[in-house]
Amino acid sequence: MFMDDHPQKASEILTPTARSGWASKAVLATFAVIIIFAALFVAGNIGRERGYQIVMDRAKSTAELNAVLLRTVLEKQRAVPFVLSQDRDVMSALSTRSESQLQRLNHKFESLIGGTGSAVIYLLDANGLAIAASNWNEPISFVGTNYSFRPYYTRAIRNGSAEHYALGTVSKRPGLYISKRIDSPAGPLGVIVVKLEFDEIEADWRRNSDPTLVVDQRGIVLVTSFPDWRFMTESVIPAERMGPLRESLQFGGAPLEPLDISPPMPTVQPDIVQARLPGAPSRREFVRVQTSVPTTSWKLQSLTPAAPTVTESVRTAQLITLLFLAPLLGLTAFILRRRGLALRRAHEQEVARVELERRVAARTADLSAAHAELVMQAEERQKTETKLQSVQLELVQANRLAILGQVTAGVAHEINQPVAAIRSYADNAATFLGRNQVDSAKDNLKTIAGLTERIGSITDELRTFSRKGTGDSGPVSVSDIIEGAMLLLGSRFRQRAGQILTEMPPPEVKVYGNRIRLEQVLINLMQNALEATEGGPASKISVRYSIDEDELRLIVADNGPGIPDSIMQMLFTPFNTSKDRGLGLGLVICHDIVAEYGGRIEVESSSAGTEFTVHLKKVV
């Protein structure tokens, strides 16, 4: 009866709730759309401003670079008339007017064109008559033409030097005329003139930079990456100024019309303009940057296209905004949905709470018992791990002591030899002292001291190697590792091996690890090689190394019969050995030591011999 009545009541209760849920979702959706559109609008404005700033920074960099390049070209050309004004051949030609001198000067000017990059070099006498020129042998030769009316001549005669940009009267090519007066004690002798044309720098601007133009103080374009813009103006020139410009013939018959750029003059920053490039069907948006050309009255302007960068910046800003808003709105919707679910579940949770409390009480006892068992298991595991580590350290130490037992006879032989020598040198020293030969006795005592130091180094190596524990890890010299191993095994190797080759790296070559433990690895591998060759006269054992960018490889090789396949397959497995008295732990210990320092051991074996390669991390 209860189960039949309750669904009807629930249906009656949930109907208005469902309607309220749909209304809430509609309000939320409308609010989300408004927020998204408003955020995209704001982000678009911010992205647009950022885009214009990026374009302006790039345009500024381009303008400054082009201005420096233009100044470099100007400074190079300004040096030419200054140097030639001091030239003896020029002075002599002006003074003597000798035909041979003038012809020699023609050839000299002609040869200078290639090295200086000048368009033409020519010499005017005191009356403005060209008497020598680099184009003397061309149809448009300046020789014989009077240029006394040109401003670069009159200003140079008056001021000593001058610069004047104009269209050539003979060549009809625009360029900058740089002139320098040539003086003598009696007065001016003439004027040397160098014409600079900007074809190369304009071509370079066309290839490598945005649209670029240089204007003079009157706003007339002199140098530009677009030849069609030359002799156009920033704005309309008033009629009272246009007349004198036409009469001066400085720009020939150029119309001096304004550029299709608006606004014509910079107003605000960033300076955004609309410009039509030559040959373009319509205007485009650019960011204009203007900078002064040092040592001139000119201004250099660079126009950088704005649309691609600004569009990308707006798109990026709006995308970032969407990426930020999407999780935020999603989180809001999620929270609201969770709130609705929480209200609907509140009653269910209240009903379940009592049942949960009952179950919790019963479950608490079970959990307490399980917790106690887990604690006991954890303690047992910790004890086991501690015991395992202790056993591993004991195995390493046992292996080290076993090595010492095997090399004891060889070390004793190494010590007996210097002890016998000490005895002999001591007897000789006593004899020398009896004869009052003090110097000879001192030499013997020095030799005895050296022999005792060798005995000390051997015993120190034995004591250090036998010490229990691993010590600290850090940079270790590979040469110290090899020298320590050879000090302990040297005598044994000399007694039992036919040929031993040792390649010693420089002392500064270091690896990461502990010297004694790595020395233990090397001794294990060298002893295995010695036992594999059985000490025959043709036996050969080598210890060498190789280095790459971040790894050092220590290689121990022998010419023994090789490792059987049955042993090779389980080479680094404990208790796997081919020796009658071996435990099969030496290579396992070596493997664990090297792995502890981030390295590895590789082995290659055949009937021609065996080669163990120990890979270790190199310390830079």
Side-chain angles (χ1 to χ4, degrees), residues 371-403:
H371 177 264
E373 185 178 354
L374 287 174
V375 170
M376 182 179 66
Q377 291 177 356
E379 290 176 351
E380 290 295 329
R381 181 174 181 178
Q382 181 65 33
K383 291 178 182 179
T384 303
E385 289 181 352
T386 303
K387 186 175 181 180
L388 178 60
Q389 291 177 356
S390 177
V391 170
Q392 288 176 337
L393 292 176
E394 292 296 335
L395 284 175
V396 172
Q397 180 65 13
N399 176 259
R400 199 178 301 162
L401 294 177
I403 292 172

PDB file of all heavy atoms in Angstrom, residues 371-403:
ATOM      1  N   HIS A 371      42.867  -2.418  10.619  1.00  0.00           N
ATOM      2  CA  HIS A 371      43.956  -1.462  10.778  1.00  0.00           C
ATOM      3  C   HIS A 371      45.086  -2.056  11.605  1.00  0.00           C
ATOM      4  O   HIS A 371      46.271  -1.901  11.295  1.00  0.00           O
ATOM      5  CB  HIS A 371      43.419  -0.194  11.444  1.00  0.00           C
ATOM      6  CG  HIS A 371      44.483   0.829  11.711  1.00  0.00           C
ATOM      7  ND1 HIS A 371      45.110   0.951  12.927  1.00  0.00           N
ATOM      8  CD2 HIS A 371      45.044   1.775  10.902  1.00  0.00           C
ATOM      9  CE1 HIS A 371      46.003   1.905  12.862  1.00  0.00           C
ATOM     10  NE2 HIS A 371      45.974   2.431  11.640  1.00  0.00           N
ATOM     11  N   ALA A 372      44.720  -2.732  12.679  1.00  0.00           N
ATOM     12  CA  ALA A 372      45.757  -3.340  13.516  1.00  0.00           C
ATOM     13  C   ALA A 372      46.555  -4.368  12.728  1.00  0.00           C
ATOM     14  O   ALA A 372      47.783  -4.468  12.841  1.00  0.00           O
ATOM     15  CB  ALA A 372      45.100  -3.981  14.743  1.00  0.00           C
ATOM     16  N   GLU A 373      45.824  -5.145  11.896  1.00  0.00           N
ATOM     17  CA  GLU A 373      46.510  -6.155  11.088  1.00  0.00           C
ATOM     18  C   GLU A 373      47.439  -5.508  10.061  1.00  0.00           C
ATOM     19  O   GLU A 373      48.557  -5.969   9.837  1.00  0.00           O
ATOM     20  CB  GLU A 373      45.472  -7.029  10.386  1.00  0.00           C
ATOM     21  CG  GLU A 373      46.102  -8.185   9.615  1.00  0.00           C
ATOM     22  CD  GLU A 373      45.056  -9.074   8.973  1.00  0.00           C
ATOM     23  OE1 GLU A 373      43.851  -8.849   9.236  1.00  0.00           O
ATOM     24  OE2 GLU A 373      45.426  -9.979   8.224  1.00  0.00           O
ATOM     25  N   LEU A 374      46.960  -4.407   9.442  1.00  0.00           N
ATOM     26  CA  LEU A 374      47.798  -3.699   8.459  1.00  0.00           C
ATOM     27  C   LEU A 374      49.046  -3.119   9.109  1.00  0.00           C
ATOM     28  O   LEU A 374      50.136  -3.144   8.538  1.00  0.00           O
ATOM     29  CB  LEU A 374      46.992  -2.583   7.785  1.00  0.00           C
ATOM     30  CG  LEU A 374      45.934  -3.028   6.786  1.00  0.00           C
ATOM     31  CD1 LEU A 374      45.122  -1.822   6.314  1.00  0.00           C
ATOM     32  CD2 LEU A 374      46.595  -3.712   5.583  1.00  0.00           C
ATOM     33  N   VAL A 375      48.875  -2.547  10.323  1.00  0.00           N
ATOM     34  CA  VAL A 375      50.040  -1.999  11.035  1.00  0.00           C
ATOM     35  C   VAL A 375      51.060  -3.090  11.311  1.00  0.00           C
ATOM     36  O   VAL A 375      52.278  -2.913  11.132  1.00  0.00           O
ATOM     37  CB  VAL A 375      49.586  -1.315  12.342  1.00  0.00           C
ATOM     38  CG1 VAL A 375      50.792  -0.965  13.211  1.00  0.00           C
ATOM     39  CG2 VAL A 375      48.789  -0.060  12.014  1.00  0.00           C
ATOM     40  N   MET A 376      50.569  -4.257  11.736  1.00  0.00           N
ATOM     41  CA  MET A 376      51.467  -5.365  12.027  1.00  0.00           C
ATOM     42  C   MET A 376      52.187  -5.821  10.752  1.00  0.00           C
ATOM     43  O   MET A 376      53.394  -6.069  10.759  1.00  0.00           O
ATOM     44  CB  MET A 376      50.666  -6.520  12.634  1.00  0.00           C
ATOM     45  CG  MET A 376      51.520  -7.723  13.036  1.00  0.00           C
ATOM     46  SD  MET A 376      50.522  -9.025  13.780  1.00  0.00           S
ATOM     47  CE  MET A 376      49.521  -9.492  12.358  1.00  0.00           C
ATOM     48  N   GLN A 377      51.439  -5.888   9.629  1.00  0.00           N
ATOM     49  CA  GLN A 377      52.052  -6.289   8.363  1.00  0.00           C
ATOM     50  C   GLN A 377      53.091  -5.266   7.904  1.00  0.00           C
ATOM     51  O   GLN A 377      54.151  -5.634   7.385  1.00  0.00           O
ATOM     52  CB  GLN A 377      50.980  -6.462   7.295  1.00  0.00           C
ATOM     53  CG  GLN A 377      50.059  -7.648   7.533  1.00  0.00           C
ATOM     54  CD  GLN A 377      48.966  -7.739   6.478  1.00  0.00           C
ATOM     55  OE1 GLN A 377      48.854  -6.874   5.602  1.00  0.00           O
ATOM     56  NE2 GLN A 377      48.148  -8.796   6.567  1.00  0.00           N
ATOM     57  N   ALA A 378      52.778  -3.978   8.102  1.00  0.00           N
ATOM     58  CA  ALA A 378      53.727  -2.934   7.705  1.00  0.00           C
ATOM     59  C   ALA A 378      55.007  -3.031   8.526  1.00  0.00           C
ATOM     60  O   ALA A 378      56.117  -2.857   7.999  1.00  0.00           O
ATOM     61  CB  ALA A 378      53.095  -1.558   7.860  1.00  0.00           C
ATOM     62  N   GLU A 379      54.837  -3.281   9.817  1.00  0.00           N
ATOM     63  CA  GLU A 379      56.030  -3.413  10.664  1.00  0.00           C
ATOM     64  C   GLU A 379      56.867  -4.618  10.257  1.00  0.00           C
ATOM     65  O   GLU A 379      58.101  -4.546  10.199  1.00  0.00           O
ATOM     66  CB  GLU A 379      55.590  -3.537  12.132  1.00  0.00           C
ATOM     67  CG  GLU A 379      55.004  -2.249  12.706  1.00  0.00           C
ATOM     68  CD  GLU A 379      54.502  -2.428  14.124  1.00  0.00           C
ATOM     69  OE1 GLU A 379      54.454  -3.596  14.588  1.00  0.00           O
ATOM     70  OE2 GLU A 379      54.143  -1.411  14.767  1.00  0.00           O
ATOM     71  N   GLU A 380      56.182  -5.729   9.946  1.00  0.00           N
ATOM     72  CA  GLU A 380      56.906  -6.916   9.506  1.00  0.00           C
ATOM     73  C   GLU A 380      57.637  -6.653   8.192  1.00  0.00           C
ATOM     74  O   GLU A 380      58.775  -7.084   7.991  1.00  0.00           O
ATOM     75  CB  GLU A 380      55.927  -8.081   9.337  1.00  0.00           C
ATOM     76  CG  GLU A 380      55.369  -8.618  10.643  1.00  0.00           C
ATOM     77  CD  GLU A 380      56.458  -9.244  11.517  1.00  0.00           C
ATOM     78  OE1 GLU A 380      57.430  -9.781  10.947  1.00  0.00           O
ATOM     79  OE2 GLU A 380      56.362  -9.165  12.751  1.00  0.00           O
ATOM     80  N   ARG A 381      56.944  -5.934   7.278  1.00  0.00           N
ATOM     81  CA  ARG A 381      57.581  -5.630   5.990  1.00  0.00           C
ATOM     82  C   ARG A 381      58.792  -4.726   6.168  1.00  0.00           C
ATOM     83  O   ARG A 381      59.821  -4.913   5.527  1.00  0.00           O
ATOM     84  CB  ARG A 381      56.560  -4.948   5.066  1.00  0.00           C
ATOM     85  CG  ARG A 381      57.115  -4.627   3.700  1.00  0.00           C
ATOM     86  CD  ARG A 381      56.045  -4.104   2.786  1.00  0.00           C
ATOM     87  NE  ARG A 381      56.565  -3.817   1.463  1.00  0.00           N
ATOM     88  CZ  ARG A 381      55.835  -3.376   0.450  1.00  0.00           C
ATOM     89  NH1 ARG A 381      54.534  -3.191   0.630  1.00  0.00           N
ATOM     90  NH2 ARG A 381      56.383  -3.131  -0.720  1.00  0.00           N
ATOM     91  N   GLN A 382      58.668  -3.739   7.079  1.00  0.00           N
ATOM     92  CA  GLN A 382      59.793  -2.844   7.340  1.00  0.00           C
ATOM     93  C   GLN A 382      60.979  -3.623   7.904  1.00  0.00           C
ATOM     94  O   GLN A 382      62.134  -3.397   7.532  1.00  0.00           O
ATOM     95  CB  GLN A 382      59.357  -1.746   8.321  1.00  0.00           C
ATOM     96  CG  GLN A 382      60.437  -0.730   8.654  1.00  0.00           C
ATOM     97  CD  GLN A 382      60.832   0.075   7.438  1.00  0.00           C
ATOM     98  OE1 GLN A 382      60.000   0.344   6.578  1.00  0.00           O
ATOM     99  NE2 GLN A 382      62.089   0.439   7.331  1.00  0.00           N
ATOM    100  N   LYS A 383      60.676  -4.558   8.833  1.00  0.00           N
ATOM    101  CA  LYS A 383      61.756  -5.365   9.399  1.00  0.00           C
ATOM    102  C   LYS A 383      62.414  -6.218   8.305  1.00  0.00           C
ATOM    103  O   LYS A 383      63.641  -6.358   8.265  1.00  0.00           O
ATOM    104  CB  LYS A 383      61.206  -6.268  10.499  1.00  0.00           C
ATOM    105  CG  LYS A 383      60.753  -5.525  11.753  1.00  0.00           C
ATOM    106  CD  LYS A 383      60.165  -6.483  12.778  1.00  0.00           C
ATOM    107  CE  LYS A 383      59.671  -5.740  14.027  1.00  0.00           C
ATOM    108  NZ  LYS A 383      59.067  -6.674  15.007  1.00  0.00           N
ATOM    109  N   THR A 384      61.570  -6.773   7.429  1.00  0.00           N
ATOM    110  CA  THR A 384      62.110  -7.605   6.343  1.00  0.00           C
ATOM    111  C   THR A 384      63.007  -6.786   5.412  1.00  0.00           C
ATOM    112  O   THR A 384      64.082  -7.235   4.994  1.00  0.00           O
ATOM    113  CB  THR A 384      60.957  -8.222   5.541  1.00  0.00           C
ATOM    114  OG1 THR A 384      60.130  -8.973   6.419  1.00  0.00           O
ATOM    115  CG2 THR A 384      61.484  -9.133   4.446  1.00  0.00           C
ATOM    116  N   GLU A 385      62.537  -5.571   5.059  1.00  0.00           N
ATOM    117  CA  GLU A 385      63.347  -4.722   4.165  1.00  0.00           C
ATOM    118  C   GLU A 385      64.659  -4.340   4.829  1.00  0.00           C
ATOM    119  O   GLU A 385      65.713  -4.329   4.190  1.00  0.00           O
ATOM    120  CB  GLU A 385      62.551  -3.471   3.800  1.00  0.00           C
ATOM    121  CG  GLU A 385      61.384  -3.742   2.870  1.00  0.00           C
ATOM    122  CD  GLU A 385      60.626  -2.473   2.517  1.00  0.00           C
ATOM    123  OE1 GLU A 385      60.938  -1.428   3.131  1.00  0.00           O
ATOM    124  OE2 GLU A 385      59.731  -2.538   1.657  1.00  0.00           O
ATOM    125  N   THR A 386      64.594  -4.002   6.126  1.00  0.00           N
ATOM    126  CA  THR A 386      65.827  -3.648   6.843  1.00  0.00           C
ATOM    127  C   THR A 386      66.785  -4.831   6.871  1.00  0.00           C
ATOM    128  O   THR A 386      68.005  -4.683   6.657  1.00  0.00           O
ATOM    129  CB  THR A 386      65.485  -3.213   8.274  1.00  0.00           C
ATOM    130  OG1 THR A 386      64.566  -2.136   8.235  1.00  0.00           O
ATOM    131  CG2 THR A 386      66.739  -2.787   9.021  1.00  0.00           C
ATOM    132  N   LYS A 387      66.231  -6.033   7.133  1.00  0.00           N
ATOM    133  CA  LYS A 387      67.070  -7.232   7.170  1.00  0.00           C
ATOM    134  C   LYS A 387      67.662  -7.516   5.798  1.00  0.00           C
ATOM    135  O   LYS A 387      68.834  -7.899   5.673  1.00  0.00           O
ATOM    136  CB  LYS A 387      66.231  -8.419   7.646  1.00  0.00           C
ATOM    137  CG  LYS A 387      67.038  -9.697   7.873  1.00  0.00           C
ATOM    138  CD  LYS A 387      66.160 -10.792   8.471  1.00  0.00           C
ATOM    139  CE  LYS A 387      66.980 -12.062   8.711  1.00  0.00           C
ATOM    140  NZ  LYS A 387      66.148 -13.139   9.290  1.00  0.00           N
ATOM    141  N   LEU A 388      66.835  -7.297   4.732  1.00  0.00           N
ATOM    142  CA  LEU A 388      67.319  -7.525   3.369  1.00  0.00           C
ATOM    143  C   LEU A 388      68.461  -6.582   3.025  1.00  0.00           C
ATOM    144  O   LEU A 388      69.471  -6.984   2.441  1.00  0.00           O
ATOM    145  CB  LEU A 388      66.166  -7.338   2.376  1.00  0.00           C
ATOM    146  CG  LEU A 388      66.516  -7.489   0.886  1.00  0.00           C
ATOM    147  CD1 LEU A 388      67.059  -8.876   0.603  1.00  0.00           C
ATOM    148  CD2 LEU A 388      65.301  -7.203   0.016  1.00  0.00           C
ATOM    149  N   GLN A 389      68.303  -5.305   3.401  1.00  0.00           N
ATOM    150  CA  GLN A 389      69.384  -4.354   3.144  1.00  0.00           C
ATOM    151  C   GLN A 389      70.655  -4.752   3.888  1.00  0.00           C
ATOM    152  O   GLN A 389      71.767  -4.655   3.365  1.00  0.00           O
ATOM    153  CB  GLN A 389      68.949  -2.947   3.570  1.00  0.00           C
ATOM    154  CG  GLN A 389      67.858  -2.356   2.699  1.00  0.00           C
ATOM    155  CD  GLN A 389      67.394  -1.008   3.191  1.00  0.00           C
ATOM    156  OE1 GLN A 389      67.850  -0.533   4.237  1.00  0.00           O
ATOM    157  NE2 GLN A 389      66.478  -0.390   2.449  1.00  0.00           N
ATOM    158  N   SER A 390      70.471  -5.216   5.140  1.00  0.00           N
ATOM    159  CA  SER A 390      71.633  -5.648   5.923  1.00  0.00           C
ATOM    160  C   SER A 390      72.313  -6.844   5.265  1.00  0.00           C
ATOM    161  O   SER A 390      73.541  -6.919   5.177  1.00  0.00           O
ATOM    162  CB  SER A 390      71.190  -5.990   7.350  1.00  0.00           C
ATOM    163  OG  SER A 390      72.280  -6.477   8.112  1.00  0.00           O
ATOM    164  N   VAL A 391      71.475  -7.799   4.790  1.00  0.00           N
ATOM    165  CA  VAL A 391      72.045  -8.985   4.125  1.00  0.00           C
ATOM    166  C   VAL A 391      72.783  -8.581   2.854  1.00  0.00           C
ATOM    167  O   VAL A 391      73.870  -9.099   2.551  1.00  0.00           O
ATOM    168  CB  VAL A 391      70.924  -9.993   3.811  1.00  0.00           C
ATOM    169  CG1 VAL A 391      71.438 -11.104   2.912  1.00  0.00           C
ATOM    170  CG2 VAL A 391      70.378 -10.581   5.102  1.00  0.00           C
ATOM    171  N   GLN A 392      72.196  -7.628   2.091  1.00  0.00           N
ATOM    172  CA  GLN A 392      72.866  -7.174   0.863  1.00  0.00           C
ATOM    173  C   GLN A 392      74.202  -6.544   1.172  1.00  0.00           C
ATOM    174  O   GLN A 392      75.205  -6.797   0.491  1.00  0.00           O
ATOM    175  CB  GLN A 392      71.964  -6.168   0.132  1.00  0.00           C
ATOM    176  CG  GLN A 392      70.746  -6.808  -0.514  1.00  0.00           C
ATOM    177  CD  GLN A 392      69.836  -5.784  -1.146  1.00  0.00           C
ATOM    178  OE1 GLN A 392      69.854  -4.621  -0.769  1.00  0.00           O
ATOM    179  NE2 GLN A 392      69.019  -6.218  -2.088  1.00  0.00           N
ATOM    180  N   LEU A 393      74.244  -5.698   2.230  1.00  0.00           N
ATOM    181  CA  LEU A 393      75.518  -5.086   2.615  1.00  0.00           C
ATOM    182  C   LEU A 393      76.512  -6.138   3.073  1.00  0.00           C
ATOM    183  O   LEU A 393      77.714  -6.062   2.763  1.00  0.00           O
ATOM    184  CB  LEU A 393      75.285  -4.061   3.727  1.00  0.00           C
ATOM    185  CG  LEU A 393      74.501  -2.800   3.335  1.00  0.00           C
ATOM    186  CD1 LEU A 393      74.268  -1.929   4.560  1.00  0.00           C
ATOM    187  CD2 LEU A 393      75.261  -2.020   2.271  1.00  0.00           C
ATOM    188  N   GLU A 394      76.029  -7.150   3.794  1.00  0.00           N
ATOM    189  CA  GLU A 394      76.921  -8.222   4.243  1.00  0.00           C
ATOM    190  C   GLU A 394      77.471  -9.006   3.052  1.00  0.00           C
ATOM    191  O   GLU A 394      78.640  -9.408   3.039  1.00  0.00           O
ATOM    192  CB  GLU A 394      76.160  -9.154   5.199  1.00  0.00           C
ATOM    193  CG  GLU A 394      75.794  -8.525   6.538  1.00  0.00           C
ATOM    194  CD  GLU A 394      77.034  -8.163   7.359  1.00  0.00           C
ATOM    195  OE1 GLU A 394      78.081  -8.786   7.159  1.00  0.00           O
ATOM    196  OE2 GLU A 394      76.927  -7.240   8.195  1.00  0.00           O
ATOM    197  N   LEU A 395      76.597  -9.254   2.046  1.00  0.00           N
ATOM    198  CA  LEU A 395      77.065  -9.961   0.851  1.00  0.00           C
ATOM    199  C   LEU A 395      78.133  -9.161   0.117  1.00  0.00           C
ATOM    200  O   LEU A 395      79.127  -9.716  -0.352  1.00  0.00           O
ATOM    201  CB  LEU A 395      75.883 -10.232  -0.087  1.00  0.00           C
ATOM    202  CG  LEU A 395      74.942 -11.377   0.323  1.00  0.00           C
ATOM    203  CD1 LEU A 395      73.760 -11.427  -0.630  1.00  0.00           C
ATOM    204  CD2 LEU A 395      75.691 -12.709   0.326  1.00  0.00           C
ATOM    205  N   VAL A 396      77.912  -7.832  -0.008  1.00  0.00           N
ATOM    206  CA  VAL A 396      78.921  -6.991  -0.663  1.00  0.00           C
ATOM    207  C   VAL A 396      80.226  -7.035   0.107  1.00  0.00           C
ATOM    208  O   VAL A 396      81.314  -7.168  -0.468  1.00  0.00           O
ATOM    209  CB  VAL A 396      78.398  -5.541  -0.778  1.00  0.00           C
ATOM    210  CG1 VAL A 396      79.508  -4.631  -1.270  1.00  0.00           C
ATOM    211  CG2 VAL A 396      77.204  -5.481  -1.716  1.00  0.00           C
ATOM    212  N   GLN A 397      80.135  -6.935   1.447  1.00  0.00           N
ATOM    213  CA  GLN A 397      81.352  -6.968   2.264  1.00  0.00           C
ATOM    214  C   GLN A 397      82.027  -8.333   2.178  1.00  0.00           C
ATOM    215  O   GLN A 397      83.258  -8.436   2.106  1.00  0.00           O
ATOM    216  CB  GLN A 397      81.009  -6.630   3.721  1.00  0.00           C
ATOM    217  CG  GLN A 397      82.192  -6.628   4.678  1.00  0.00           C
ATOM    218  CD  GLN A 397      83.196  -5.535   4.339  1.00  0.00           C
ATOM    219  OE1 GLN A 397      82.886  -4.642   3.556  1.00  0.00           O
ATOM    220  NE2 GLN A 397      84.382  -5.617   4.905  1.00  0.00           N
ATOM    221  N   ALA A 398      81.204  -9.407   2.171  1.00  0.00           N
ATOM    222  CA  ALA A 398      81.785 -10.746   2.062  1.00  0.00           C
ATOM    223  C   ALA A 398      82.487 -10.921   0.732  1.00  0.00           C
ATOM    224  O   ALA A 398      83.576 -11.506   0.657  1.00  0.00           O
ATOM    225  CB  ALA A 398      80.679 -11.802   2.228  1.00  0.00           C
ATOM    226  N   ASN A 399      81.861 -10.421  -0.319  1.00  0.00           N
ATOM    227  CA  ASN A 399      82.513 -10.497  -1.635  1.00  0.00           C
ATOM    228  C   ASN A 399      83.819  -9.735  -1.635  1.00  0.00           C
ATOM    229  O   ASN A 399      84.818 -10.183  -2.211  1.00  0.00           O
ATOM    230  CB  ASN A 399      81.559  -9.930  -2.688  1.00  0.00           C
ATOM    231  CG  ASN A 399      82.189  -9.891  -4.063  1.00  0.00           C
ATOM    232  OD1 ASN A 399      82.642  -8.835  -4.504  1.00  0.00           O
ATOM    233  ND2 ASN A 399      82.230 -11.032  -4.743  1.00  0.00           N
ATOM    234  N   ARG A 400      83.828  -8.563  -0.952  1.00  0.00           N
ATOM    235  CA  ARG A 400      85.052  -7.755  -0.903  1.00  0.00           C
ATOM    236  C   ARG A 400      86.151  -8.484  -0.135  1.00  0.00           C
ATOM    237  O   ARG A 400      87.320  -8.512  -0.529  1.00  0.00           O
ATOM    238  CB  ARG A 400      84.715  -6.416  -0.252  1.00  0.00           C
ATOM    239  CG  ARG A 400      85.721  -5.329  -0.526  1.00  0.00           C
ATOM    240  CD  ARG A 400      85.283  -4.025   0.106  1.00  0.00           C
ATOM    241  NE  ARG A 400      83.981  -3.608  -0.418  1.00  0.00           N
ATOM    242  CZ  ARG A 400      83.195  -2.723   0.180  1.00  0.00           C
ATOM    243  NH1 ARG A 400      83.565  -2.184   1.329  1.00  0.00           N
ATOM    244  NH2 ARG A 400      82.049  -2.390  -0.349  1.00  0.00           N
ATOM    245  N   LEU A 401      85.780  -9.136   0.991  1.00  0.00           N
ATOM    246  CA  LEU A 401      86.780  -9.873   1.776  1.00  0.00           C
ATOM    247  C   LEU A 401      87.262 -11.097   1.011  1.00  0.00           C
ATOM    248  O   LEU A 401      88.436 -11.489   1.113  1.00  0.00           O
ATOM    249  CB  LEU A 401      86.169 -10.282   3.119  1.00  0.00           C
ATOM    250  CG  LEU A 401      85.830  -9.104   4.070  1.00  0.00           C
ATOM    251  CD1 LEU A 401      85.162  -9.622   5.318  1.00  0.00           C
ATOM    252  CD2 LEU A 401      87.095  -8.315   4.414  1.00  0.00           C
ATOM    253  N   ALA A 402      86.354 -11.727   0.234  1.00  0.00           N
ATOM    254  CA  ALA A 402      86.778 -12.856  -0.584  1.00  0.00           C
ATOM    255  C   ALA A 402      87.806 -12.417  -1.614  1.00  0.00           C
ATOM    256  O   ALA A 402      88.784 -13.124  -1.889  1.00  0.00           O
ATOM    257  CB  ALA A 402      85.560 -13.485  -1.270  1.00  0.00           C
ATOM    258  N   ILE A 403      87.572 -11.235  -2.181  1.00  0.00           N
ATOM    259  CA  ILE A 403      88.555 -10.702  -3.145  1.00  0.00           C
ATOM    260  C   ILE A 403      89.898 -10.503  -2.450  1.00  0.00           C
ATOM    261  O   ILE A 403      90.967 -10.863  -2.985  1.00  0.00           O
ATOM    262  CB  ILE A 403      88.042  -9.388  -3.742  1.00  0.00           C
ATOM    263  CG1 ILE A 403      86.835  -9.653  -4.632  1.00  0.00           C
ATOM    264  CG2 ILE A 403      89.123  -8.677  -4.527  1.00  0.00           C
ATOM    265  CD1 ILE A 403      86.139  -8.392  -5.105  1.00  0.00           C
TER     266      ILE A 403
END
